[in-house]
Amino acid sequence: MIKVRNLSKTYVKNKALDNISFTLEEGEILGFLGPNGAGKSTTMNIITGYLSGDEGSVEIDGVNIMEDPVRAKKKIGYLPEQPPLYNDMTVQKYLEFMFRLKKVRKPMKEHIAEICEMVKITDVCERIIKHLSKGYRQRVGLAQALLGYPQVLILDEPTVGLDPQQIIEIRKLIRDLSKEHTIILSSHVLSEIQAVCDKIIVINHGKIIARGLTAEMTQTGDSTGKLDLIIEGRRQTVNALLSKIDGVTKVIEKGECEKGSYEYTVESKRDVRRLIFRAISKTDFSILSMSPVGVSLEDTYLRIISGESEEAE
Ligand code: ADP
Ligand code: MG
């Protein structure tokens, strides 16, 4: 449904995008994850035809956005970072205005009423936009993107500035919309992407630095990663024993928790639980507790953007 090939974009001297490629099938939700300035909005602006790339191509349902922007744009609903709302209009008037601008071929009143119902803004339809809360304004922006029910929805940081309750509602709405639409959404917040998307692309400094299925990327490692341990016995000796175990990369002492027992976090490249058990059982020390620490994608994400891992394809 969406094919992005080798997109690059330079603003004056600043290379904002560097050879971005990805594809998205119909009905999928792709999350664009990256810190501020990573290039998320630039990519979305190019995909939606609001900005031209220097190199590369974008196809929406087989239509090239650069070659046939009018036809391609018809297939896209876009919620930019700053929704283009006309603050002095009522919600209803604004949506009617956008409906005409987009030349939607549907019965106008019914269509707008249906969308308002869907994004739950029916009760504020006659209110002036500037008097609405941030959450409502965001939903009006979403309503605007939905006009004409385009096949593709591009949502740039759709939950920024919303309160937790509103965030939950918008997420649910986006998931519901994915039944009928192919969606790309961006966020600098991992939990956001994790909660909604099937696929994740992590970008930083204009480059894709990781990609995968959300389920795979958020897997918590029980075989590798971190273990929390409580071991009864002499601290220095236990530390030395743990450090010597094959595969252990780091032993962090976290202090005494009960008299004579100390807490440790062990980081490892593979599953070292059995090796630890065997090593400790050769002494007269005792393992009082051993529990894998789930490695959250949050950790992975932070590690990725600080360590700049290579593109994983
Ligand atoms: P994100 O949406 O991930 O925060 P952006 O796509 O907005 O990132 O920005 C990517 C990079 O391009 C940043 O370094 C930003 O400063 C720069 N940039 C964005 N828009 C412009 C512009 N209109 N002119 C010059 N530089 C820009
Ligand atoms: Mg942005």
Side-chain angles (χ1 to χ4, degrees):
M1 177 58 73
I2 303 176
K3 285 203 180 96
V4 173
R5 282 197 209 97
N6 310 104
L7 273 194
S8 292
K9 171 82 188 172
T10 302
Y11 294 110
V12 199
K13 278 185 187 158
N14 178 4
K15 191 144 199 176
L17 290 189
D18 188 1
N19 205 18
I20 300 272
S21 301
F22 62 89
T23 58
L24 197 60
E25 303 302 325
E26 192 172 342
E28 285 183 325
I29 312 187
L30 169 71
F32 240 39
L33 177 64
N36 289 324
K40 303 182 296 294
S41 298
T42 302
T43 309
M44 293 181 142
N45 278 322
I46 296 175
I47 295 175
T48 52
Y50 285 86
L51 193 71
S52 58
D54 304 332
E55 283 166 57
S57 67
V58 176
E59 257 179 42
I60 309 288
D61 193 23
V63 183
N64 186 307
I65 192 94
M66 288 100 178
E67 287 164 11
D68 196 348
V70 177
R71 207 151 68 85
K73 278 186 184 180
K74 273 215 171 309
K75 297 174 181 290
I76 303 172
Y78 185 25
L79 175 68
E81 215 164 5
Q82 314 281 341
L85 301 178
Y86 292 89
N87 281 320
D88 292 320
M89 287 185 184
T90 63
V91 172
Q92 179 69 29
K93 285 278 173 284
Y94 167 70
L95 292 176
E96 288 178 8
F97 172 75
M98 293 305 288
F99 181 98
R100 293 193 188 97
L101 201 69
K102 293 185 172 189
K103 303 196 174 74
V104 177
R105 290 209 195 93
K106 286 182 190 294
M108 185 171 76
K109 296 273 182 205
E110 286 91 329
H111 185 57
I112 290 179
E114 192 176 277
I115 287 175
C116 288
E117 208 45 56
M118 207 171 189
V119 303
K120 300 204 179 72
I121 52 172
T122 309
D123 51 330
V124 299
C125 258
E126 296 310 326
R127 298 258 294 270
I128 292 173
I129 290 176
K130 71 177 169 203
H131 296 151
L132 296 178
S133 68
K134 169 83 185 158
Y136 270 112
R137 256 182 283 169
Q138 195 72 355
R139 281 189 248 177
V140 175
L142 201 53
Q144 162 276 129
L146 282 170
L147 287 169
Y149 294 138
Q151 291 159 285
V152 173
L153 291 175
I154 310 274
L155 313 173
D156 197 354
E157 309 244 6
T159 60
V160 124
L162 304 187
D163 67 38
Q165 184 55 39
Q166 294 166 334
I167 289 177
I168 291 168
E169 285 172 25
I170 292 274
R171 279 181 188 169
K172 184 174 177 309
L173 179 62
I174 292 172
R175 268 198 300 259
D176 287 346
L177 289 170
S178 75
K179 290 176 199 135
E180 308 284 333
H181 304 265
T182 306
I183 302 177
I184 301 182
L185 70 89
S186 73
S187 177
H188 61 281
V189 186
L190 179 105
S191 54
E192 192 61 53
I193 299 275
Q194 209 168 345
V196 188
C197 304
D198 307 315
K199 281 180 165 179
I200 301 180
I201 284 182
V202 184
I203 80 168
N204 198 19
H205 299 306
K207 286 194 171 110
I208 295 181
I209 54 171
R211 64 173 96 203
L213 298 176
T214 310
E216 287 169 3
M217 292 181 79
T218 53
Q219 240 169 26
T220 55
D222 54 351
S223 56
T224 58
K226 288 185 188 173
L227 282 175
D228 274 344
L229 292 162
I230 298 174
I231 298 173
E232 186 179 47
R234 224 174 82 88
R235 190 172 46 81
Q236 291 91 329
T237 320
V238 171
N239 192 329
L241 272 173
L242 293 173
S243 303
K244 264 197 299 195
I245 289 169
D246 194 28
V248 168
T249 51
K250 199 172 180 185
V251 177
I252 302 158
E253 287 185 15
K254 302 201 338 207
E256 189 168 21
C257 51
E258 294 167 45
K259 182 130 185 56
S261 309
Y262 299 86
E263 228 179 313
Y264 308 84
T265 297
V266 170
E267 294 182 11
S268 62
K269 290 183 292 199
R270 64 182 76 92
D271 191 348
V272 292
R273 286 173 298 178
R274 292 163 194 82
L275 295 176
I276 291 176
F277 179 80
R278 276 183 227 131
I280 299 298
S281 48
K282 283 183 196 146
T283 65
D284 34 0
F285 305 150
S286 310
I287 297 173
L288 302 183
S289 154
M290 174 167 357
S291 51
V293 187
V295 183
S296 68
L297 184 54
E298 197 81 55
D299 296 336
T300 317
Y301 175 43
L302 289 174
R303 209 170 52 229
I304 287 171
I305 61 175
S306 58
E308 290 284 308
S309 81
E310 78 287 19
E311 171 161 357
E313 260 268 276

